[in-house]
Amino acid sequence: MESIPIQPGDHIGYFSHTHYHHAIYCGDISYRNRQYKQVVIHYEGKNKRGQIRGLAFHKFAQNREIYIFPYKKNACFAPETVIERAISKLGEPEYNLFGNNCEHFAHWCKTGKTISGQVNNVIYLLGNLGGGVLTGAFLPLGVPVIVGMGIAMAVGCTSGHLATELLMGSTDYDLE
């Protein structure tokens, strides 16, 4: 992630205590025969209305550090298309933390894929934990503890990776 300058069509966000909140910066747009300046479109969580809404950039930022999520080269649509896709979803009330959240929305606007790296990380960690615990439960009692821990960790990491790839796919962010 980088600091600003933000351009229309950018996938932006800020860190909020435990997670990143994601949005699309649209700049100045026309919507329903009205002009709006410096618009950000994002998915509000269930604690609000649980729908996709537009608001002014300064209200979105509220003195927080805003990041741009860079994408791999040729992985996303042109900025105009990203903005059109974001506008087309205004008012959608289909928020779901694990399947249709603000990151899914922003990634879909940019690439056409509904992916959330944050959800992927949770699934990966749960897969690691679950795979490791299950493996440890089925190892014979005669296996030395250190060997059992190594086997459980290897199986846990593999199952976490498989669960993430099979269930969620990977993001197109270029964070390196």
Side-chain angles (χ1 to χ4, degrees), residues 133-148:
V133 168
L134 286 174
T135 301
F138 289 107
L139 287 174
L141 291 176
V143 174
V145 172
I146 193 73
V147 172

Side-chain angles (χ1 to χ4, degrees), residues 103-116:
E103 187 175 9
H104 289 105
F105 164 72
H107 202 273
W108 176 84
C109 290
K110 292 288 283 186
T111 69
K113 302 175 195 169
T114 53
I115 295 172
S116 170

Side-chain angles (χ1 to χ4, degrees), residues 18 50 57 80 150:
T18 59
F57 177 80
E80 299 80 24

Side-chain angles (χ1 to χ4, degrees), residues 66-162:
I66 300 298
Y67 299 97
I68 298 170
F69 291 83
Y71 281 74
K72 295 174 185 170
K73 194 171 187 154
N74 300 321
C76 53
F77 298 118
E80 299 80 24
T81 303
V82 172
I83 294 165
E84 288 171 11
R85 292 171 71 83
I87 291 170
S88 76
K89 293 289 188 171
L90 281 169
E92 178 182 286
E94 305 298 323
Y95 181 86
N96 176 297
L97 179 61
F98 293 104
N100 197 27
N101 65 35
C102 61
E103 187 175 9
H104 289 105
F105 164 72
H107 202 273
W108 176 84
C109 290
K110 292 288 283 186
T111 69
K113 302 175 195 169
T114 53
I115 295 172
S116 170
Q118 294 176 117
V119 171
N120 289 359
N121 290 341
V122 169
I123 289 171
Y124 181 78
L125 291 172
L126 292 175
N128 285 349
L129 179 61
V133 168
L134 286 174
T135 301
F138 289 107
L139 287 174
L141 291 176
V143 174
V145 172
I146 193 73
V147 172
M149 288 173 61
I151 292 169
M153 286 175 61
V155 170
C157 286
T158 302
S159 63
H161 180 73
L162 286 173

Side-chain angles (χ1 to χ4, degrees), residues 43-72:
Y43 227 135
E44 291 183 325
K46 279 284 191 200
N47 61 338
K48 296 203 177 174
R49 288 185 236 182
Q51 68 181 16
I52 295 175
R53 302 210 40 206
L55 74 161
F57 177 80
H58 74 275
K59 289 183 179 180
F60 177 81
Q62 293 183 3
N63 296 316
R64 294 178 275 236
E65 187 171 3
I66 300 298
Y67 299 97
I68 298 170
F69 291 83
Y71 281 74
K72 295 174 185 170

